[in-house]
């Protein structure tokens, strides 16, 4: 249930960011995406990229998809997800 909240929250923020041309909403969107990766693993990245590819079949959405900074956002989400997992591993050592 928490995974769904993170994943669909990320999708919602990225969609609103593209529709309303508000690039600052991409930051919390990719943070929520990294939290979803924490729960389910890199499978989340496959779901997001597959969804973007399917959405790109439409001309209208293709223009909107270009507004999202995909590469830096996905890289940052992956790095953030890895950093968060290191924090959990470090905390487990001291517990």
């Amino acid at each position: 249930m928490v995974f769904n909240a993170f994943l669909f929250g990320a999708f919602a923020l990225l969609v609103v960011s593209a529709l309303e041309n508000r690039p600052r909403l991409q930051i919390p969107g990719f943070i929520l995406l990294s939290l979803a990766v924490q729960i389910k693993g890199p499978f989340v990245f496959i779901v997001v990229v597959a969804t973007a590819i399917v959405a790109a079949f439409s001309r209208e959405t293709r223009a909107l998809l270009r507004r999202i900074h995909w590469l830096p956002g996905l890289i940052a989400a992956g790095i953030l997800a890895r950093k968060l997992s290191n924090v959990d591993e470090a905390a487990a050592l001291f517990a």
Side-chain angles (χ1 to χ4, degrees), residues 6-7 23 32 40 53-54 57 71-72 79-80 83 88 93:
F6 288 150
L7 184 62
L32 286 176
K40 286 289 184 184
I53 289 171
V54 169
F57 288 139
L71 191 59
I79 290 171
L80 184 60
K83 294 288 183 187
D88 293 340
L93 292 174

Side-chain angles (χ1 to χ4, degrees), residues 33-77:
L33 192 64
S34 72
L35 292 172
V37 170
Q38 279 288 300
I39 295 173
K40 286 289 184 184
F43 166 75
V44 175
F45 290 128
I46 296 169
V47 170
V48 170
V49 171
T51 304
I53 289 171
V54 169
F57 288 139
S58 169
R59 285 190 181 155
E60 296 86 22
T61 57
R62 196 176 310 139
L64 294 173
L65 285 172
R66 289 188 190 124
R67 293 183 183 175
I68 299 174
H69 304 290
W70 289 105
L71 191 59
L74 291 174
I75 290 172

